[in-house]
């Protein structure tokens, strides 16, 4: 569909919602020139901090877990490969929200029964869930990138005496990285969007704050419109970063 | 040691890919310093035989020894002997993200534990030997095929191997570059290193080989000194094969 068509449809929907009497726009709710509006808007925007923190820490963890998961998954031995496959298939199959509930409400019970008394707060509960859920995709991205490197590279590395880890470190990963980074960065957009689920366990991020203001003001149209634009801006910034990265990687592909 | 150690020894080696037998009862003794040239039709198992020597392929039965040490048919680990076998591939297999110098020093530094300085010294010497010292800071993609293959030879030599394996080192090259690579290999042959070369370059074979091996359908069908081998092949299959390639 054409971009213009999409925008037209969105505008018509918005305008239509203005015409019906109880649903008229009421931007006063986030009007920065009034005190109440200013308070609301600063409260809503301050959710960025938690959303960004959640996303970045979860992404870093996911990158690490993904690497740990993928390495045995590349083995020629199917018994070594198996746990990695099972992890990916299993984690990939679980919707984020049930996993979040399981980690936040269920995991502490298990930990307690094992005598470990670590409370899981909303922040770390959300990060853990996002990281684990995303790591299955990260692992697959790594696998695709690594397997796209010709077999001859591994063989050549072997003939000059490099062991498995040296081969990965000096020969395969540096080449695979160029193919891994762009999809990995795309995956970061997924994490940012999924972090909205953290609102249901009480994490004070963008979505949670929008919900809270909405409860007291009852202005869903304006507040959720703003919320959507908050995510849009975040994602646009990330995707311009990805394009910069792709240009940079493309530029020194063949020196 | 009283008994002379062989560089490479195959005793009744069989290898299968699933239920397809690629190597059939291979027996072969290569003495230290000997130059062997292997030829034979496509699919006859030449690459597989060579790749069994440095464990790029594993065999299912029989014994393969390199410098007297058995190459395990199962585990691919603890093959210390392997760094004494160098290999040059048809497709060069240089590391495209590293410069020529970095390609050369990687093995000596990481696998042999040489200092960067010593490794670089080695690299410089060897690049002179393969006659491209000026290409040291280029990336493989900036070199011609012939130059790339010479870098690959230098990279293998940097590990100071006792045995060099070549699997069709000139088949991927444009005709005008074949000579420059063969010249380097002939120089090397004159220096006493053990060499096993799979090639269809019969001119090269006549110059460099001590012994010819003809393979067909996974078997060593015929073997002999180059003079006999080319003049009076004993088997029809070998004769037919030689007629075909010498026509070109
Ligand atoms: N990884 C593999 N899996 C299954 N079959 C294989 C594999 N590698 C080689 N083969 C088969 O084994 C046979 C011998 O292969 P090999 O590469 O050793 O032949 P070759 O003599 O080197 O031929 P060429 O002159 O084409 O290089 C061929 O029939 C080939 O199809
Ligand atoms: Mg071959």
């Amino acid at each position: 569909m054409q971009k213009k068509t999409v925008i037209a449809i969105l505008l018509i929907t918005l305008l239509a919602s203005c015409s019906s009497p109880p649903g008229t726009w009421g931007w006063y709710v986030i009007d920065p020139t009034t005190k109440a509006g200013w308070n609301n808007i600063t409260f809503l925007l301050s959710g960025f901090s938690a959303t960004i923190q959640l996303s970045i820490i979860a992404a870093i963890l996911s990158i690490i877990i993904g690497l740990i998961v993928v390495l045995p998954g590349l083995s020629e031995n199917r018994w070594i490969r198996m746990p990695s496959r099972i992890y990916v298939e299993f984690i990939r199959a679980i919707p984020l929200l049930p996993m979040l509930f399981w980690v936040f409400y269920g995991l502490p019970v298990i930990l307690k029964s094992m005598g470990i008394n670590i409370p899981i707060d909303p922040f770390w509960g959300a990060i853990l869930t996002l990281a684990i859920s995303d790591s299955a995709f990260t692992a697959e991205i790594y696998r695709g990138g690594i397997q796209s490197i010709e077999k001859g590279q591994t063989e050549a590395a072997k003939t000059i005496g490099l062991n498995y880890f040296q081969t990965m470190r000096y020969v395969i990963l540096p080449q695979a990285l160029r193919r891994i980074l762009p999809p990995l960065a795309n995956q970061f957009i997924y994490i940012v969007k999924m972090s909205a689920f953290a609102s249901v366990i009480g994490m004070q991020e963008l979505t949670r704050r929008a919900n809270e203001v909405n409860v007291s003001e009852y202005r869903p149209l304006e507040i959720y419109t703003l919320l959507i634009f908050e995510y849009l801006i975040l994602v646009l910034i990330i995707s311009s970063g990805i394009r910069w990265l792709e240009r940079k990687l493309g530029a020194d592909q063949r020196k | 040691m009283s008994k002379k150690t062989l560089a490479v020894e195959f005793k009744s080696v069989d290898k299968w890919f699933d239920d397809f037998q690629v190597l059939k009862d291979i027996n072969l003794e290569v003495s230290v310093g000997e130059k062997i040239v292997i030829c034979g039709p496509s699919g006859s198992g030449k690459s597989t035989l060579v790749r069994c020597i440095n464990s790029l392929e594993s065999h299912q039965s029989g014994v393969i020894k390199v410098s007297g040490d058995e190459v395990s048919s199962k585990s691919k680990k603890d093959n210390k002997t392997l760094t004494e076998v160098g290999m040059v591939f048809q497709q060069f297999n240089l590391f495209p993200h590293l410069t020529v110098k970095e390609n050369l020093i990687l093995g000596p530094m990481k696998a042999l534990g040489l200092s960067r300085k010593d490794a670089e010294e080695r690299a410089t010497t060897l690049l002179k030997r393969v006659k491209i010292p000026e290409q040291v800071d280029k990336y493989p993609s900036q070199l011609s095929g012939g130059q790339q293959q010479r870098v690959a030879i230098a990279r293998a030599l940097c590990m100071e191997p006792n045995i060099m394996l070549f699997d069709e080192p000139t088949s991927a090259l444009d005709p005008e570059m074949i000579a420059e690579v063969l010249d380097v290999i002939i120089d090397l042959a004159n220096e006493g290193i053990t060499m096993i070369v799979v090639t269809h370059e019969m001119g090269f074979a006549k110059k460099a080989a001590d012994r010819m091996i003809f393979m067909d359908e996974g078997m060593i069908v015929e073997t002999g000194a180059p003079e006999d081998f080319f003049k009076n092949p004993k088997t029809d299959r070998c004769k037919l094969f030689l007629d075909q390639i010498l026509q070109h």
Side-chain angles (χ1 to χ4, degrees), chain B residues 42-43 45-48 51 90 167-168 198:
Chain B
S42 179
K46 308 177 297 289
S47 297
T48 309
R51 291 159 56 88
Q90 182 175 349
D167 189 1
E168 308 207 26
V198 176

Side-chain angles (χ1 to χ4, degrees), chain B residues 41-64:
Chain B
S42 179
S44 55
K46 308 177 297 289
S47 297
T48 309
L49 181 137
V50 165
R51 291 159 56 88
C52 278
I53 298 172
N54 61 354
S55 292
L56 288 181
E57 301 287 353
S58 55
H59 55 287
Q60 277 86 29
S61 73
V63 175
I64 300 176

